[in-house]
């Protein structure tokens, strides 16, 4: 293999990796407010997925925390401290009393998870239809499944509002994240928080 061939292949692989990297994220960030330059970066953060549904809140917070790739930033998920969420001003008071630099709040109550769907090539026979399905039935109608009948997760569009505040209430950053991601809380949180982490780091608000 000539050196020219090797070089050509390396360029092709590099180009493919760049393209894939650009397509990897399914979330976009719209910044509404960002503190001016000179702010001390947040290093001890209280992360709050604001929802009364504890399983949703726990799954979102854990996946989001893992998406912040910085050893200089300590993140505490709120569900480990507060099984029940208090009012937002109480959260800030808690942040101050526990020594947190800031509180990051995400409004995840409106996250909509679609029901799991069958793959497009699969259909369910009459005997397997839900008993609540009152649609007309054709006598003798039955189709077999083509391949595995494991449910699949559809992509879903989500909008989440976020606010980063000092424990004294000063607003550091606020914005909206729009996500089109698989129908799983952890996948949605990872996509959202990977983009959020980049936005906050670029603004100099996190290390």
């Amino acid at each position: 293999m000539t050196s020219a061939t090797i070089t050509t292949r390396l360029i092709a692989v590099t180009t493919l990796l760049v393209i894939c990297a650009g397509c990897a994220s399914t979330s976009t960030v719209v910044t509404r407010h960002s503190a001016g330059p000179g702010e001390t970066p947040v290093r001890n953060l209280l992360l709050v997925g604001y929802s009364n549904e504890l399983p949703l809140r726990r799954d979102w917070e854990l996946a989001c925390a893992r998406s912040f790739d910085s050893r200089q930033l300590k993140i505490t998920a709120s569900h480990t401290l507060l099984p029940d969420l208090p009012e937002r001003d109480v959260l800030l008071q808690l942040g101050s009393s526990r020594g947190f630099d800031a509180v990051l709040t995400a409004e995840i109550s409106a996250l909509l998870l679609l029901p799991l769907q069958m793959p497009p090539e699969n259909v369910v026979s009459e005997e397997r239809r839900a008993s609540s399905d009152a649609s007309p039935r054709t006598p003798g109608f039955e189709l077999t499944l083509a391949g595995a009948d494991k449910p699949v997760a559809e992509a879903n569009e989500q909008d989440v509002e976020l606010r980063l505040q000092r424990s004294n209430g000063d607003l550091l950053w606020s914005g909206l994240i729009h996500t089109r991601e698989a129908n799983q809380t952890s996948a949605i949180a990872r996509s959202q928080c990977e983009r959020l982490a980049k936005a906050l780091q670029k603004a100099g608000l996190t290390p």
Side-chain angles (χ1 to χ4, degrees), residues 29-35 42 45-50 60 64 68 88-89 91-92 101-108 159-177 193 196 200 205-206:
V29 177
V30 177
T31 298
R32 293 177 172 168
H33 171 82
S34 184
V42 174
L45 177 68
L46 177 62
L47 176 64
V48 184
Y50 218 90
W60 190 92
C64 180
F68 281 79
R88 287 162 178 74
D89 57 346
L91 280 174
L92 294 176
D101 297 340
V103 178
L104 176 62
T105 305
E107 300 289 344
I108 64 171
D159 289 321
V160 171
E161 297 269 359
L162 298 109
R163 292 172 63 89
L164 178 65
Q165 293 177 271
R166 296 284 186 194
S167 295
N168 63 4
D170 291 346
L171 181 63
L172 295 177
W173 188 92
S174 67
L176 175 74
I177 295 184
C193 294
L196 174 64
L200 295 181
L205 297 175
T206 57

Side-chain angles (χ1 to χ4, degrees), residues 11 16 34 47 56 70-71 82 100 113 123 165 170 193 206:
I11 292 174
L16 179 61
S34 184
L47 176 64
L56 171 64
S70 174
R71 296 182 180 180
L82 299 165
F100 292 103
L113 298 183
V123 292
Q165 293 177 271
D170 291 346
C193 294
T206 57

Side-chain angles (χ1 to χ4, degrees), residues 79-156:
H79 73 271
T80 63
L81 303 177
L82 299 165
D84 298 316
L85 280 176
E87 296 296 326
R88 287 162 178 74
D89 57 346
V90 178
L91 280 174
L92 294 176
Q93 293 174 14
L94 173 69
S96 178
S97 65
R98 297 292 183 94
F100 292 103
D101 297 340
V103 178
L104 176 62
T105 305
E107 300 289 344
I108 64 171
S109 297
L111 283 184
L112 301 175
L113 298 183
L114 297 174
L116 291 178
Q117 304 294 318
M118 299 298 295
E121 67 275 11
N122 291 343
V123 292
V124 181
S125 66
E126 181 178 352
E127 289 76 12
R128 296 183 60 182
R129 297 167 76 178
S131 58
S132 60
D133 184 358
S135 59
R137 301 169 187 265
T138 304
F141 173 79
E142 182 177 338
L143 292 177
T144 58
L145 293 175
D149 61 352
K150 183 179 180 180
V152 297
E154 282 194 354
N156 198 6

Side-chain angles (χ1 to χ4, degrees), residues 3-45:
S3 59
T5 303
I6 294 175
T7 301
T8 301
R9 291 188 176 183
L10 286 175
I11 292 174
V13 171
T14 302
T15 302
L16 179 61
L17 290 175
V18 170
I19 292 173
C20 290
C23 299
S25 179
T26 59
S27 293
T28 56
V29 177
V30 177
T31 298
R32 293 177 172 168
H33 171 82
S34 184
E39 285 285 346
T40 303
V42 174
R43 297 184 182 275
N44 190 7
L45 177 68

